[in-house]
Amino acid sequence: MLSAALSGFLLGASLIIAIGAQNAYILRQGLLREHVFILSFICALSDALLIAAGVAGLGTLIAQSPKLISFVTLGGAAFLFWYASVAFRRAFHPEGLRAAGSGGSSLKAAVGTVLALTFLNPHVYLDTVVLLGGLSARFEGVNRAAYGIGAALASFIWFFSLGYGARLLQPVFAKPAAWRVLDILIGLVMAGIATSLLVRFLHN
């Protein structure tokens, strides 16, 4: 049982700890100290629910539904391109830069953004539901549940560590130039993911 949980934890961590849309957004919100707990919780809970669905067998159904995958791919690419444009606009308009605590996005807007970055990104489904869920077939009964719990635990630890650990970098981001660099990198990440989604869609 412990071995299954450790396997799920390590695989979950290897998929989650990567430069991606969710991570870039949580990093920025953590630096701004805006809605960190609720946003980290939403990301981790979303992953946990998708992992549970995958372990329960939903991954097979998604893999056999090309229309659903195409819809999520196109919608996700459009949203990511839009968010990339927002990040580039922040980077090249210094007046849009602000110190933490100066009053930024509303909780409703932040929650809407993080939900879109989560559920309009096909990579999330492929990683959590299809891949993690598919690999859970190696285990049975309580060991399979332990595997899923281990993978979900990795997500909770990662997102809360990223959200609250980001404040350690605040001295670096006291200068507007650092925010420009961060927003340019975020824009590139979002645009890169969106482009890869479109390329994959066109080649399928």
Side-chain angles (χ1 to χ4, degrees):
M1 182 175 170
L2 182 60
S3 175
L6 182 60
S7 177
F9 181 88
L10 293 176
L11 180 57
S14 69
L15 293 174
I16 295 164
I17 303 174
I19 297 175
Q22 279 181 315
N23 290 342
Y25 187 69
I26 294 299
L27 174 62
R28 192 174 200 283
Q29 294 303 110
L31 286 166
L32 293 170
R33 300 194 182 190
E34 285 184 357
H35 320 301
V36 177
F37 178 85
I38 187 64
L39 296 180
S40 298
F41 182 76
I42 288 173
C43 285
L45 180 62
S46 297
D47 275 3
L49 292 174
L50 291 171
I51 289 168
V55 170
L58 185 61
T60 302
L61 294 177
I62 290 180
Q64 295 175 347
S65 180
K67 287 186 178 180
L68 176 59
I69 294 175
S70 295
F71 173 79
V72 174
T73 297
L74 292 176
F79 180 81
L80 289 170
F81 274 128
W82 172 80
Y83 195 85
S85 71
V86 171
F88 287 133
R89 196 159 56 243
R90 281 196 308 254
F92 292 105
H93 290 81
E95 63 270 19
L97 299 171
R98 51 191 164 73
S102 62
S105 61
S106 67
L107 176 59
K108 182 178 179 180
V111 168
T113 298
V114 83
L115 286 174
L117 290 173
T118 299
F119 293 104
L120 288 178
N121 184 359
H123 291 303
V124 172
Y125 298 98
L126 293 174
D127 288 348
T128 57
V129 181
V130 178
L131 183 55
L132 281 170
L135 291 176
S136 70
R138 297 175 298 165
F139 305 100
E140 295 181 0
V142 67
N143 285 331
R144 193 168 185 175
Y147 168 89
I149 291 172
L153 181 61
S155 183
F156 273 90
I157 291 175
W158 169 251
F159 282 114
F160 278 97
S161 297
L162 180 63
Y164 285 100
R167 63 189 58 191
L168 298 176
L169 297 174
Q170 278 193 323
V172 176
F173 286 88
K175 298 178 180 180
W179 282 104
R180 290 192 186 96
V181 171
L182 177 65
D183 279 322
I184 288 173
L185 289 176
I186 289 175
L188 291 174
V189 167
M190 302 294 183
I193 295 173
T195 301
S196 71
L197 292 179
L198 288 180
V199 170
R200 181 176 298 178
F201 174 79
L202 293 173
H203 282 79
N204 284 339

